[in-house]
Amino acid sequence: MGELRGTHVPVLLERCLELLAPALGRTGRTVHVDATLGLAGHAEAVLEAHPNTVLIGLDRDTEALAHARVRLARFADRIHLEHAVYDELPEVLDRLGYPAIDGVLFDLGVSSLQLDAPDRGFAYAQDAPLDMRMDQTRGVTAEEVVNTYAHPDLARVLRVYGEEKFAGRIASAIIRERERARITSSARLAELVRESIPAPARRTGGHPAKRTFQALRIEVNRELAALETALPAALDKLTVGGRMVVLSYHSLEDRLTKQALADRVRSKGPVDLPVELPGSGPTFRLLSRGAELPGEAEVAANPRAASVRLRAAERLDPEATRQGRTDRERYRRRVKAMHQPGTGSPGSGEDPGSAPGDGNGTDEEGEGT
């Protein structure tokens, strides 16, 4: 395996531990999935903090798995490290015999190992073969994409996955170049991109090849397609009180995460019913308002955290959710009744400020009986 390549500082480590703690610190054995194990910084901290937690670590990168296995060797009796992409989570859980999980973490994007290993081709600042596969045992390489995709397909990848407004110009430059000679070098590709972008646009927004390299990496590894499948599957596997934390590093990942959670945190039933219909209530609650951003101290200690966006959610008990809505509706009707002629008048003994379940009034008040 050799020495570790790359410097690994887990992003938002303390915040992730804080969010996962109520789910993983429960009595008895708990099960946590690190869906993007990488170099196991988050996983190691979870195992240290929760001695009764079993870890299931997934990663498509065999080199990362080898390093993680060494790092987590002292926890060998309660870890399962699997060579798999996160959208394969249901199959992995079935094979291991775990019908449900208590926590899951997605730390998306490219890992420190992949960025810092020059031969992997992820970094536009270093010359390397155009590979970009997170799993080097299978799949097409970035070299194949840039040398075989037609102009419309190449421009679409750059525009959609890289949000690159000069996608058409860059695709044209790539096609002209590959007609002369096959493009095999990350440095040559980065140079082509820089030459394709107008000088004024190159002065802002970081390295001009950043968006193109992001787009190619997402295309090669099917990252968004896998994430779109993986997030709902992970949510479905969480127990009541179980929690999911997602760290995203660009708007496309964060948008998919936001959509997956939004579908679970709102009621699908009619708003004016006194009770929540079975199966129509929210099944999760958000653990923060919107996406959490890193603080200045976090970014200073770990510059790769600068673009991170954190979202987290917890699975609700559907029975408790239904009862909560029933109590709220009863309270709403009691307050409404106070303003109707002949009901709830001053001196009736009902406190209009009393909340459901606080011991003031009865459940029947305001029901129209």
Side-chain angles (χ1 to χ4, degrees), residues 41 47 91 97 125 196 208 245 305 310 363 365 367:
L47 289 166
E91 292 79 11
S196 303
V245 178
L310 181 150
D363 285 346
E365 289 178 315
E367 289 292 324

Side-chain angles (χ1 to χ4, degrees), residues 24-41:
L24 300 182
R26 295 183 283 190
T27 302
R29 187 193 71 176
T30 55
V31 180
H32 174 62
V33 172
D34 193 317
T36 49
L37 184 64
L39 296 177

Side-chain angles (χ1 to χ4, degrees), residues 29-100:
R29 187 193 71 176
T30 55
V31 180
H32 174 62
V33 172
D34 193 317
T36 49
L37 184 64
L39 296 177
H42 288 102
E44 181 181 41
V46 164
L47 289 166
E48 289 174 343
H50 301 286
N52 294 323
T53 293
V54 172
L55 172 82
I56 301 171
L58 312 183
D59 208 292
R60 67 175 90 192
D61 190 326
T62 55
E63 186 178 358
L65 279 171
H67 285 294
R69 201 173 301 279
V70 172
R71 182 172 192 166
L72 303 178
R74 67 186 187 280
F75 307 108
D77 60 334
R78 53 191 180 101
I79 64 172
H80 303 277
L81 305 189
E82 299 288 323
H83 181 215
V85 185
Y86 37 67
D87 63 348
E88 300 174 277
L89 175 60
E91 292 79 11
V92 171
L93 293 177
D94 288 346
R95 186 171 68 251
L96 295 175
Y98 292 100

